[in-house]
Amino acid sequence: MKKCYNFRHLIKNFVIIDKERVIIMSTKGKKILTIILIILLVPVLIAGGYFAYAMIDYHRIEDNQALQINSVTSDAALVGEEYKIVSYNIGFAAYTPDFGFFMDGGKESRAKSEESVKNVTSGIAEFLNSESPDFMMIEEVDKNSTRSYHYDEEEALRNSLCGYNSMYAVNFDSPYLYYPLNKPHGKSYSGLLTLSKYDMQAEYDAGAYLRGLTDCCAKTVVLQQTCLINAQPFRRIFCCLLLPAFEF
């Protein structure tokens, strides 16, 4: 009987039955219902607002952009010579030995700290200097990204790799990704850094033409692709024929 009484008492707080047996919601009931609706509506508004923001902020990176070259040398690459090229995806300088990216089955959505990003970037530059390639194609280089604490990796690498002409092209400019919820991946602004010991010309956003390599279809170049596995450089060597214009 006590449970029944409590239930009836609760109903009385929500509704009033008038003389004509019409059920009318009490003032207290209206307030409680309003609070419940607000609680249910807030997540919907947040999700809708975020979706609207992502759609409004989304934009396609403009095609055929003229890229800026930072020139330090005008030496020409010569026909008949063998050149060493390093291609390196640096993974926004986040990959310490215990780092696991959430999109690859790990748990981390950002680098551990800005200091960690600086240390990894410094180590990458040291490794590349030790390899001393003629050309470098470096991928996933952040300039102003939440995941790398807005550290300018392009500027840091360019200043550490002396004697190279350089060119940077943005290929990833995304809105703020609010996932994972406990530590969102955030906004990303990242791209490709191309460096050359020889003269470069901007050829839109696809890369560069290297002067002096327009008549070398019989010559071979060693292409060295580098990545990090457990924080250790892993290299695969390819033997590639140069295209007539040596375009990349």
Side-chain angles (χ1 to χ4, degrees):
M1 293 297 296
K2 186 176 181 181
K3 289 183 179 180
C4 182
Y5 170 78
N6 288 340
F7 178 74
R8 289 176 181 175
H9 181 73
L10 182 64
I11 292 296
K12 287 181 179 180
N13 285 329
F14 278 90
V15 299
I16 300 172
I17 302 176
D18 64 9
K19 295 179 180 180
E20 297 180 0
R21 311 299 292 176
V22 177
I23 298 176
I24 303 171
M25 183 167 288
S26 67
T27 302
K28 186 175 182 181
K30 289 179 180 179
K31 289 181 179 180
I32 295 174
L33 183 60
T34 300
I35 293 172
I36 292 173
L37 290 175
I38 290 174
I39 292 173
L40 294 175
L41 188 59
V42 166
V44 175
L45 291 176
I46 292 174
Y50 175 74
F51 180 78
Y53 152 74
M55 291 297 99
I56 293 171
D57 191 67
Y58 172 80
H59 62 281
R60 178 183 171 84
I61 297 174
E62 185 180 348
D63 293 328
N64 300 329
Q65 297 184 45
L67 302 178
Q68 180 67 41
I69 296 177
N70 299 296
S71 296
V72 297
T73 177
S74 58
D75 294 345
L78 302 175
V79 175
E81 296 293 327
E82 185 177 90
Y83 296 97
K84 181 178 180 181
I85 305 175
V86 172
S87 173
Y88 195 165
N89 187 320
I90 67 171
F92 61 96
Y95 284 76
T96 52
D98 55 347
F99 181 84
F101 193 43
F102 76 101
M103 290 185 178
D104 297 326
K107 297 182 178 180
E108 284 81 15
S109 58
R110 306 179 184 180
K112 291 188 174 181
S113 65
E114 183 178 357
E115 190 64 28
S116 175
V117 173
K118 290 179 179 179
N119 290 337
V120 172
T121 303
S122 178
I124 290 167
E126 183 179 350
F127 167 73
L128 291 172
N129 275 321
S130 69
E131 292 294 312
S132 190
D134 298 292
F135 310 107
M136 286 182 272
M137 296 176 287
I138 310 176
E139 301 90 36
E140 215 167 340
V141 182
D142 281 7
K143 279 187 71 69
N144 186 20
S145 300
T146 308
R147 62 187 186 178
S148 50
Y149 301 89
H150 306 282
Y151 182 63
D152 193 337
E153 297 169 3
E154 183 267 336
E155 182 180 19
L157 288 171
R158 182 163 40 83
N159 291 337
S160 299
L161 300 168
C162 301
Y164 288 90
N165 295 326
S166 64
M167 179 172 57
Y168 185 78
V170 176
N171 69 343
F172 185 34
D173 184 4
S174 75
Y176 195 98
L177 176 60
Y178 208 91
Y179 186 84
L181 296 179
N182 62 326
K183 196 172 186 180
H185 188 61
K187 185 173 178 60
S188 297
Y189 189 82
S190 187
L192 311 172
L193 177 61
T194 304
L195 301 104
S196 168
K197 287 183 178 179
Y198 303 97
D199 198 14
M200 301 172 70
Q201 296 177 249
E203 186 63 24
Y204 305 124
D205 58 356
Y209 287 104
L210 305 181
R211 294 179 185 148
L213 291 176
T214 57
D215 187 25
C216 53
C217 36
K219 190 59 186 170
T220 303
V221 156
V222 174
L223 174 61
Q224 175 176 289
Q225 186 183 52
T226 307
C227 61
L228 278 184
I229 295 180
N230 294 330
Q232 298 299 319
F234 173 78
R235 295 188 290 273
R236 292 187 294 173
I237 309 298
F238 298 87
C239 188
C240 304
L241 287 177
L242 292 175
L243 298 175
F246 198 68
E247 181 183 354
F248 62 102

